[in-house]
Amino acid sequence: MADIDLKNLTDRYVAVWSEPDPDRRRAAVRELWSTDGVHVLQPPQEMRQTAEGLGFDRLVLEARGHDELEVRVTRAYEEFVAPGTFVFRSRGDADRLHDVVKFRWEMVPRDGGDVAGVGLEILVLGADGRILSDYQFIEG
């Protein structure tokens, strides 16, 4: 596997979720994820509880391939960043073991204030350094 600059990778990953230009966002998705890359989200606890109340014992959300990944990233941008409410940033704690990278990010109010959300990313990288699998856990 290629030598990976973890700071560069995590900075680019976090930046794609805040990219306002659709063309740049599309290009960034294609640069970060492999063609059949997958983003798997463990939803926040309240969503899991709602699913359990409906009789589903497990709720996992998944976007596979560039088109679905672009929709996922765009939706998060439109909900959290575009209104001017929040920004995403890396916590600077990236670590790598072979082809697996883990790091945390946080969502903070654009105008300052307490952290509004934290997530843990587990990325499995391909030989070309692009993401094959992206597991996201919302921690708070």
Side-chain angles (χ1 to χ4, degrees):
M1 169 172 294
D3 191 28
I4 301 294
D5 178 337
L6 291 181
K7 181 174 179 353
N8 178 272
L9 173 65
T10 57
D11 286 351
R12 288 185 306 123
Y13 182 94
V14 172
V16 73
W17 300 88
S18 298
E19 176 54 60
D21 181 87
D23 292 331
R24 280 192 272 194
R25 190 168 47 240
R26 182 177 303 109
V29 164
R30 281 155 176 72
E31 290 171 8
L32 283 164
W33 281 274
S34 66
T35 303
D36 59 346
V38 62
H39 172 82
V40 182
L41 168 65
Q42 180 187 45
Q45 183 63 33
E46 61 272 8
M47 286 181 72
R48 294 194 310 263
Q49 288 173 335
T50 299
E52 288 172 12
L54 296 171
F56 296 97
D57 63 349
R58 184 175 306 186
L59 177 63
V60 176
L61 307 176
E62 181 177 302
R64 182 176 299 278
H66 288 154
D67 291 342
E68 289 181 15
L69 289 162
E70 185 180 345
V71 169
R72 166 73 178 114
V73 171
T74 298
R75 177 68 178 98
Y77 168 78
E78 289 172 348
E79 181 175 350
F80 300 110
V81 179
T85 310
F86 297 106
V87 295
F88 294 104
R89 65 184 183 201
S90 172
R91 286 200 157 177
D93 62 351
D95 203 0
R96 177 181 173 189
L97 182 61
H98 295 293
D99 61 348
V100 177
V101 173
K102 75 171 181 78
F103 68 97
R104 287 183 172 76
W105 52 264
E106 56 192 20
M107 183 175 72
V108 295
R110 182 177 302 277
D111 297 330
D114 294 334
V115 172
V118 175
L120 169 67
E121 296 297 320
I122 307 291
L123 308 177
V124 179
L125 304 178
D128 64 357
R130 292 192 301 164
I131 301 166
L132 298 173
S133 300
D134 171 1
Y135 301 96
Q136 185 177 82
F137 299 84
I138 306 298
E139 296 186 324

